[in-house]
Amino acid sequence: MTSELSQPGLISGILPKGWNVTTANSVCSKITKGTTPPKAAVVVSGGIPFLRVNNLTFEGRLNDDSEIVFISETSHRGFLARSVAYPGDVVMNIVGPPLGKIALLPDRFAEYNLNQAIVIYRTRSTEVDRRFFLAYLG
């Protein structure tokens, strides 16, 4: 993990050689929270998976036991466009309790969308490994 940010006294332990203290903004190309869709945007099947906090786990994966709801393609591309997520994005709940549920989005779907209680971290692979970032958040 590299960055221009290096503040003396900020590190309490010893970092591996070549590592620096940095911020999420420095290693992510996008950080944003989800959006609340209107009820009319929710569809029974098909469409785009719309993730809620119950779809996340503390283990860094999606909860296969929790029902995923879907939103229309029109809403996904329109009103909810800012909260589009992709496989490889790291997501975490920001509303709880409990806080700290996280997931690395799998390639099960080409795109996802997220409700307002979840934040997307789209890491830059040249700055940080997404699995390390996921583990750090967890």
Side-chain angles (χ1 to χ4, degrees):
M1 190 154 70
T2 61
S3 173
E4 298 84 305
L5 180 64
S6 183
Q7 298 177 3
L10 193 60
I11 305 169
S12 60
I14 299 172
L15 290 174
K17 186 175 180 161
W19 286 31
N20 295 307
V21 173
T22 191
T23 63
N25 276 336
S26 296
V27 298
C28 293
S29 62
K30 180 176 187 172
I31 301 173
T32 191
K33 70 178 188 70
T35 308
T36 304
K39 289 189 187 280
V42 178
V43 295
V44 174
S45 63
I48 306 296
F50 184 73
L51 301 179
R52 302 163 292 159
V53 173
N54 61 300
N55 299 122
L56 308 181
T57 66
F58 292 107
E59 292 80 36
R61 60 176 175 72
L62 291 182
N63 182 353
D64 292 329
D65 296 328
S66 182
E67 176 190 20
I68 293 179
V69 298
F70 295 86
I71 56 167
S72 68
E73 179 82 23
T74 303
S75 295
H76 178 67
R77 300 275 175 235
F79 177 74
L80 301 172
R82 77 175 192 87
S83 53
V84 173
Y86 300 99
D89 284 349
V90 174
V91 295
M92 179 177 77
N93 72 310
I94 55 174
V95 175
L99 290 174
K101 289 186 168 189
I102 55 174
L104 177 63
L105 294 181
D107 60 5
R108 190 178 314 157
F109 298 97
E111 296 183 2
Y112 297 82
N113 211 297
L114 311 169
N115 81 359
Q116 73 281 0
I118 300 175
V119 66
I120 304 165
Y121 294 99
R122 185 163 303 135
T123 60
R124 289 188 197 98
S125 61
T126 58
E127 297 292 323
V128 66
D129 181 272
R130 67 182 110 178
R131 292 189 187 281
F132 176 84
F133 191 81
L134 177 76
Y136 177 79
L137 291 175

